[in-house]
Amino acid sequence: MPTRYALIGSGHRAQMYLDAIAGPHADVAELVALLDVNPARREFHRDRVPAFADVVLAGPEQLEDVIREQKVDRVIVTSVDRLHAEHVVRALEAGADVIVEKPLTIDAPSARAIQDAIDRTGRSVVVTFNYRYSPRNTALKQVIASGEIGDVVSVSFEWVLDTQHGADYFRRWHRDKTNSGGLFIHKAAHHFDLVNWWIADTPARVYARGGLRFYGQDNAAARGRAPLPERGTHDGAHDPFELDLRSDERLEALYLQAEQHDGYQRDRSVFDAGITTEDNLTAIVDYAGGPVLTYALNAHSPWEGYRVAINGTAGRAELEVIERAEVIAQNEDGRSHLDPSAVAVTAPDAGVRERGERLVVQKHFEPARRVEIPEGVGGHGGGDALLLRDVFVGPTRDELGRPSDHRDGLRAISVGICGNESLATGLPVGVTEFLGLDLSRSDAAEAAR
């Protein structure tokens, strides 16, 4: 009998899970309910998939009733980040297991509330980290796990979001840090999870700096930039930093045509007043086992991708990924890909920077060698499909430990939560002390992941 699913929060991110249920995993999964505050969004997903014609549509306040009446086995949480903890806890207490889109939650009290609910109910929570499954990240994990570079002593990690993808966080609800915990949590949870997984260690202390340096009204005025219209959806010429929701059928249906119900505007000016999310962040993270991470995030780069260097006692591994070499114009179909890591951008590069990826390993007293990275097909280099198989079918034995649970989710957000506290106080923050949770790896099997 297929597992019965309800999904709460039917915005843009929900589609990956819904398409998996209706498509490759229809034999083991059945969607029985869609919950959202906005009826237009839940109706959009119901109407676009014939298999969903009979699903129950409801508001979030009806979650417990839906779980009981529809005999829901698992709830998929893809709502706004600040609501994750509430929806996770309510689903657990109503008798369902949970799959939650990263981040697990955005602050220490709600992290403790989730752990308490898991302890009380004995039910499971899976946090989805698709970057673990990307071939390039898997290849780096294999290098580290092989012992070729020795014991890890330090990690340098820089992630840059470009002026198309990075800017988008400052148009939508993420611009208000109280909704998302800022990019330290919403975006960087992916990055911190990668480091935690790569080196099989737990964050212990965080010192962070950062701020809003590029977006926002004050920064634009300081550079002499003329204000943009309040919204990007308008007739006439458009600035490169604007998003016209009419340029994408799905964005238009999910947001522009749904505004009448909740007033949410998806296309706000990135140079508007009231933005509280930082666009430049750095952190130094001490790990329990000794390694130190230096991390940097920039959300207004002219190109998008990341660079990682792992220093070990026997050598060094370096991974460079260029997901988009530049932002110059829209694609030929007139629609912008907001997340180049999820959608392959095939427009030719005009400059010396070329889209691609490279993993190089060099041991002491030896020449560097390039490690072959298998080619994947689909979102995040094929990682999405592998993740979804583990989520809906169930994980198989994985020597790399890619399947994740709520403790991985807690470790991933612990850096951002403590980073935000460090930003506020200017002081280093101890993870265990501030979160009030013991995130140490409890057994050898988990440490091997």
Side-chain angles (χ1 to χ4, degrees):
M1 169 137 352
T3 301
R4 295 172 66 82
Y5 287 87
L7 181 141
I8 184 166
S10 55
H12 179 82
R13 190 59 179 164
Q15 184 162 334
M16 180 180 80
Y17 300 94
L18 296 176
D19 287 353
I21 292 174
H25 303 301
D27 59 329
V28 295
E30 178 185 3
L31 183 73
V32 298
L34 279 168
L35 297 90
D36 198 291
V37 294
N38 191 302
R41 283 197 284 275
R42 62 199 189 209
E43 290 167 7
F44 168 81
H45 287 294
R46 178 199 62 186
D47 295 344
R48 73 180 180 83
V49 181
F52 295 164
D54 297 325
V55 302
V56 171
L57 303 181
E61 71 281 359
Q62 298 170 278
L63 177 60
E64 288 84 355
D65 292 338
V66 167
I67 290 173
R68 182 181 66 256
E69 294 169 5
Q70 300 303 316
K71 298 180 173 58
V72 172
D73 300 305
R74 300 176 89 185
V75 174
I76 301 171
V77 176
T78 51
S79 50
V80 174
D81 295 351
R82 65 178 171 81
L83 298 175
H84 281 189
E86 175 192 337
H87 294 157
V88 168
V89 171
R90 288 173 58 196
L92 293 173
E93 292 182 337
D97 294 324
V98 174
I99 300 165
V100 57
E101 175 67 19
K102 65 82 194 163
L104 176 59
T105 187
I106 67 170
D107 56 30
S110 60
R112 292 192 293 270
I114 290 173
Q115 183 62 64
D116 288 344
I118 292 171
D119 293 341
R120 285 197 311 274
T121 64
R123 295 199 165 271
S124 72
V125 175
V126 172
V127 185
T128 53
F129 288 116
N130 46 11
Y131 279 131
R132 292 185 177 199
Y133 294 81
S134 178
R136 59 211 183 203
N137 299 325
T138 298
L140 178 56
K141 172 69 172 179
Q142 289 170 324
V143 168
I144 299 168
S146 73
E148 183 174 4
I149 63 170
D151 297 329
V152 174
V153 297
S154 66
V155 180
S156 174
F157 194 162
E158 179 190 27
W159 198 292
V160 293
L161 298 163
D162 66 26
T163 51
Q164 189 160 299
H165 182 199
D168 202 47
Y169 293 107
F170 299 86
R171 300 185 184 110
R172 45 186 168 144
W173 53 264
H174 307 77
R175 72 208 315 255
D176 183 348
K177 192 172 178 177
T178 60
N179 285 330
S180 67
L183 294 181
F184 245 159
I185 294 177
H186 177 83
K187 184 62 180 175
H190 261 319
H191 312 157
F192 299 135
D193 175 70
L194 279 176
V195 177
N196 299 344
W197 172 65
W198 277 328
I199 69 175
D201 209 337
T202 302
R205 187 174 65 167
V206 182
Y207 175 71
R209 303 296 293 165
L212 183 63
R213 311 294 192 215
F214 182 79
Y215 300 109
Q217 186 179 72
D218 293 344
N219 291 319
R223 297 194 300 272
R225 199 185 204 287
L228 292 178
E230 290 185 2
R231 306 191 57 182
T233 304
H234 59 78
D235 295 332
H238 284 74
D239 186 272
F241 282 98
E242 292 187 299
L243 172 66
D244 191 328
L245 295 173
R246 298 171 300 183
S247 67
D248 184 287
E249 292 180 0
R250 182 167 61 160
L251 292 179
E252 183 176 14
L254 281 173
Y255 300 106
L256 187 62
Q257 295 176 5
E259 286 180 9
Q260 58 182 307
H261 300 290
D262 59 11
Y264 171 60
Q265 296 178 346
R266 172 67 175 75
D267 57 346
R268 301 279 300 278
S269 166
V270 300
F271 300 119
D272 201 356
I275 296 175
T276 55
T277 289
E278 300 88 358
D279 54 26
N280 280 263
L281 291 163
T282 61
I284 298 174
V285 184
D286 294 325
Y287 275 78
V292 177
L293 163 68
T294 57
Y295 172 82
L297 174 68
N298 176 286
H300 54 88
S301 169
W303 66 278
E304 177 137 338
Y306 57 102
R307 295 188 176 111
V308 183
I310 312 287
N311 296 300
T313 55
R316 176 179 169 102
E318 300 171 350
L319 175 64
E320 179 181 66
V321 177
I322 299 174
E323 294 179 337
R324 181 156 48 202
E326 70 262 324
V327 178
I328 294 177
Q330 291 181 321
N331 299 307
E332 291 181 359
D333 63 1
R335 299 176 187 173
S336 299
H337 292 312
L338 298 180
D339 185 355
S341 66
V343 181
V345 179
T346 56
D349 299 324
V352 298
R353 196 184 308 279
E354 297 182 359
R355 184 175 187 271
E357 54 198 17
R358 186 173 76 154
L359 175 58
V360 173
V361 175
Q362 186 168 13
K363 297 180 70 174
H364 293 157
F365 315 114
E366 293 184 8
R369 68 177 183 88
R370 185 163 181 167
V371 177
E372 193 68 27
I373 299 174
E375 291 188 13
V377 178
H380 296 94
D384 287 355
L386 295 172
L387 165 76
L388 292 168
R389 190 225 170 268
D390 276 357
V391 167
F392 289 106
V393 179
T396 56
R397 181 174 178 79
D398 186 341
E399 62 181 13
L400 297 177
R402 288 173 295 188
S404 54
D405 61 14
H406 82 278
R407 290 182 63 78
D408 296 301
L410 288 170
R411 293 185 189 109
I413 60 173
S414 70
V415 182
I417 290 173
C418 293
N420 281 335
E421 177 67 8
S422 182
L423 290 176
T425 64
L427 300 172
V429 177
V431 172
T432 300
E433 296 80 7
F434 189 71
L435 261 67
L437 294 169
D438 180 7
L439 303 183
S440 60
R441 295 174 183 269
S442 57
D443 56 49
E446 186 181 18
R449 301 195 310 173

